[in-house]
Amino acid sequence: MKNTKVTAKSVETSFGKLADHVVAVTETDRLVEPEVQLSSFRRKFVVFLCSFTIILEGVNLSLPGPFFPDEAKEKGLSQTQIGLVVGSLDVANLCFSFVVASAVSPKNIKFFYSTGMLWSSVTVGAFGILGDSPDGLIYFVSCLVCRLFNGIGAAMLYSTAMPIAVQMYPEKTGIITTVIQTSLGLGLCLGPPVGSLLVPLGGYKSPFLTVSCIELIVFLLGCAVVPARGAKTKAKVRSSEYVRYLCRFSTLSIVVPTAAIFCVAGIRDTAYSLYFENTLGLDSETVGFIFISNSVAYLITGPIVGVLVELGMGPYVDLFSHIFVPLISFGFFIPMIFPALECVPWGLLILFGNGFSLATIMNPTYLILEKVAIKQGLTNMQQIKTIIASTFNLVASSGRMFGSFVIGGYLNDKVGFYYMCLSYGIVLSIGASWHILFLLKNRFIRRMYYDANVPTKNMEDRGKIRLDTTTEGEKEEENEDDDLMMKATLSNMFMNSMSRSQVLNR
């Protein structure tokens, strides 16, 4: 079995000290067995299918944004109930992601992927058909249950699409991760304009039924091309490992501030759309087209961020985003102070800033979460990919859920739109301060890479997965410390052996 040695510095050991750690990445960490040869076209098509899957799920999440609140208002739902319906998908996604992360292994990953796609196709179509259900409580409960079931399918897909795509090209983890994470943000941003294009053509049902049919086609293609034979591996993630990773302070310092940023997706679908309709006097179809500015920002920024992450600049992008996002979040509050800014162009600018924010936070966060997992001592790369994919899904879904339920729903109902935006900006500022202090204290603000994209001095080092992100100066200091530790260890071993030999002689 061929091993690839991967050195990760500053690992948190069980003794609480920092030490070098070697991650042995073997062929058993791969999704498919070595003898299962996949053609180049098939591998590329699987990556495309996984990326398209994430786009569709992003569309599912944000599709109701511009017109469901208006439809729900006509059927007698309150703002809080609208927030519950929109965010219920994320509740199920959040809860079920723990189950999926613990159950997925290379043996059954195709089953979870295919089942999740079929499940999602059925539930999103059903949500559209519910537009004909009776008004009031029946409509509210039906929509709530349907979105909850939709979240189960989303949890399966978010936790499996990334590992499947990465294992097609393990040596190009950075590029694949960029594509997948960009797909998620693109889907979130495309949902509202896609809905606004289809509603005038076929009514309220048309966008949901269209997405449902497309997902059914992807399900059939996935059954045909995604590899079915898993490698013999122990890469299955135990629930205790997943929970332990999530509960570490280092992990919380990343996921909590990032989840706060993802709240903007939930707020957008429940509160921003109604602001454009009620305050600025636009109809729901126009609001959907207004939301295109969100998509344009992501389309422009996403690939640029991907290139920067490939160049090792991910932590710097992450630092910038956590400084920029709190500033842009106050944008919708400013018209309360300057009423002249209560206009469509200003709203377009803020929506553009929101799309830019989501684009800058996704890919760098995934990279940093992976480094945190390695620093905590996780060694199996397939386990790490599964845990990080599920964790990122957890971060995004919890942020959107909190944004829909608490901020865009309840808080918007109680204090009004402008003070809701002010409160959200304060929350982001606190989270950003915590996150930035953690990065600085743990020296995460430096170049980081997914793999060996940077030329190395020794040819034998090429092709190894680059997990060590320390600078040359830091390496020299650590090597000196390692030499001292090694000398001390050898000295202790020598003294112990001498004492044992003396005892035996006696």
Side-chain angles (χ1 to χ4, degrees), residues 1 59 143 336 372 387 393 434 488 506:
M1 189 69 67
V59 170
C143 291
M336 185 175 182
V372 169
I387 287 176
N393 177 33
W434 174 17
R506 289 177 184 176

PDB file of all heavy atoms in Angstrom, residues 1 59 143 336 372 387 393 434 488 506:
ATOM      1  N   MET A   1       0.848  -1.194   0.000  1.00  0.00           N
ATOM      2  CA  MET A   1       0.000   0.000   0.000  1.00  0.00           C
ATOM      3  C   MET A   1       0.884   1.245   0.000  1.00  0.00           C
ATOM      4  O   MET A   1       1.774   1.381   0.825  1.00  0.00           O
ATOM      5  CB  MET A   1      -0.883   0.001   1.246  1.00  0.00           C
ATOM      6  CG  MET A   1      -1.950   1.086   1.227  1.00  0.00           C
ATOM      7  SD  MET A   1      -3.202   0.761  -0.018  1.00  0.00           S
ATOM      8  CE  MET A   1      -3.946  -0.701   0.710  1.00  0.00           C
ATOM      9  N   VAL A  59     -30.164  26.882  -4.964  1.00  0.00           N
ATOM     10  CA  VAL A  59     -31.389  27.447  -5.545  1.00  0.00           C
ATOM     11  C   VAL A  59     -32.599  27.058  -4.700  1.00  0.00           C
ATOM     12  O   VAL A  59     -33.502  27.873  -4.442  1.00  0.00           O
ATOM     13  CB  VAL A  59     -31.563  26.970  -7.000  1.00  0.00           C
ATOM     14  CG1 VAL A  59     -32.944  27.341  -7.527  1.00  0.00           C
ATOM     15  CG2 VAL A  59     -30.485  27.578  -7.885  1.00  0.00           C
ATOM     16  N   CYS A 143     -46.555  23.733   4.490  1.00  0.00           N
ATOM     17  CA  CYS A 143     -45.288  24.295   4.005  1.00  0.00           C
ATOM     18  C   CYS A 143     -44.144  24.003   4.971  1.00  0.00           C
ATOM     19  O   CYS A 143     -43.020  23.693   4.561  1.00  0.00           O
ATOM     20  CB  CYS A 143     -45.430  25.799   3.801  1.00  0.00           C
ATOM     21  SG  CYS A 143     -46.495  26.274   2.428  1.00  0.00           S
ATOM     22  N   MET A 336     -32.234  55.190   7.672  1.00  0.00           N
ATOM     23  CA  MET A 336     -33.000  55.746   8.789  1.00  0.00           C
ATOM     24  C   MET A 336     -32.404  57.072   9.235  1.00  0.00           C
ATOM     25  O   MET A 336     -33.115  57.963   9.705  1.00  0.00           O
ATOM     26  CB  MET A 336     -33.013  54.751   9.948  1.00  0.00           C
ATOM     27  CG  MET A 336     -33.881  55.180  11.116  1.00  0.00           C
ATOM     28  SD  MET A 336     -33.974  53.926  12.402  1.00  0.00           S
ATOM     29  CE  MET A 336     -35.097  54.739  13.554  1.00  0.00           C
ATOM     30  N   VAL A 372      -7.618  23.510  11.008  1.00  0.00           N
ATOM     31  CA  VAL A 372      -7.961  23.353  12.420  1.00  0.00           C
ATOM     32  C   VAL A 372      -8.150  21.878  12.752  1.00  0.00           C
ATOM     33  O   VAL A 372      -7.708  21.398  13.808  1.00  0.00           O
ATOM     34  CB  VAL A 372      -9.232  24.159  12.760  1.00  0.00           C
ATOM     35  CG1 VAL A 372      -9.764  23.794  14.142  1.00  0.00           C
ATOM     36  CG2 VAL A 372      -8.937  25.650  12.715  1.00  0.00           C
ATOM     37  N   ILE A 387     -15.853  15.340   7.638  1.00  0.00           N
ATOM     38  CA  ILE A 387     -16.153  16.183   8.792  1.00  0.00           C
ATOM     39  C   ILE A 387     -16.254  17.650   8.385  1.00  0.00           C
ATOM     40  O   ILE A 387     -17.167  18.369   8.800  1.00  0.00           O
ATOM     41  CB  ILE A 387     -15.080  15.995   9.888  1.00  0.00           C
ATOM     42  CG1 ILE A 387     -15.247  14.634  10.560  1.00  0.00           C
ATOM     43  CG2 ILE A 387     -15.161  17.101  10.933  1.00  0.00           C
ATOM     44  CD1 ILE A 387     -14.189  14.315  11.577  1.00  0.00           C
ATOM     45  N   ASN A 393     -21.569  22.638   6.126  1.00  0.00           N
ATOM     46  CA  ASN A 393     -23.020  22.584   5.947  1.00  0.00           C
ATOM     47  C   ASN A 393     -23.727  23.029   7.225  1.00  0.00           C
ATOM     48  O   ASN A 393     -24.724  23.764   7.181  1.00  0.00           O
ATOM     49  CB  ASN A 393     -23.429  21.158   5.589  1.00  0.00           C
ATOM     50  CG  ASN A 393     -24.920  20.993   5.454  1.00  0.00           C
ATOM     51  OD1 ASN A 393     -25.633  21.901   5.034  1.00  0.00           O
ATOM     52  ND2 ASN A 393     -25.416  19.822   5.820  1.00  0.00           N
ATOM     53  N   TRP A 434     -13.929  38.512  17.684  1.00  0.00           N
ATOM     54  CA  TRP A 434     -13.528  37.206  18.241  1.00  0.00           C
ATOM     55  C   TRP A 434     -12.729  36.419  17.210  1.00  0.00           C
ATOM     56  O   TRP A 434     -11.649  35.867  17.516  1.00  0.00           O
ATOM     57  CB  TRP A 434     -14.796  36.463  18.667  1.00  0.00           C
ATOM     58  CG  TRP A 434     -14.585  35.046  19.120  1.00  0.00           C
ATOM     59  CD1 TRP A 434     -13.414  34.457  19.504  1.00  0.00           C
ATOM     60  CD2 TRP A 434     -15.587  34.035  19.242  1.00  0.00           C
ATOM     61  NE1 TRP A 434     -13.620  33.151  19.849  1.00  0.00           N
ATOM     62  CE2 TRP A 434     -14.941  32.861  19.705  1.00  0.00           C
ATOM     63  CE3 TRP A 434     -16.971  34.010  19.016  1.00  0.00           C
ATOM     64  CZ2 TRP A 434     -15.643  31.675  19.935  1.00  0.00           C
ATOM     65  CZ3 TRP A 434     -17.658  32.828  19.253  1.00  0.00           C
ATOM     66  CH2 TRP A 434     -16.991  31.676  19.700  1.00  0.00           C
ATOM     67  N   ALA A 488      16.900  15.039  24.433  1.00  0.00           N
ATOM     68  CA  ALA A 488      16.450  14.753  25.792  1.00  0.00           C
ATOM     69  C   ALA A 488      15.819  13.364  25.873  1.00  0.00           C
ATOM     70  O   ALA A 488      16.028  12.611  26.827  1.00  0.00           O
ATOM     71  CB  ALA A 488      15.451  15.814  26.249  1.00  0.00           C
ATOM     72  N   ARG A 506      23.000  -6.970  39.161  1.00  0.00           N
ATOM     73  CA  ARG A 506      22.926  -7.285  40.583  1.00  0.00           C
ATOM     74  C   ARG A 506      22.162  -8.595  40.818  1.00  0.00           C
ATOM     75  O   ARG A 506      22.486  -9.370  41.687  1.00  0.00           O
ATOM     76  CB  ARG A 506      22.239  -6.139  41.310  1.00  0.00           C
ATOM     77  CG  ARG A 506      23.101  -4.893  41.376  1.00  0.00           C
ATOM     78  CD  ARG A 506      22.335  -3.761  42.047  1.00  0.00           C
ATOM     79  NE  ARG A 506      23.117  -2.507  42.033  1.00  0.00           N
ATOM     80  CZ  ARG A 506      22.658  -1.351  42.489  1.00  0.00           C
ATOM     81  NH1 ARG A 506      21.459  -1.272  43.025  1.00  0.00           N
ATOM     82  NH2 ARG A 506      23.417  -0.252  42.418  1.00  0.00           N
TER      83      ARG A 506
END
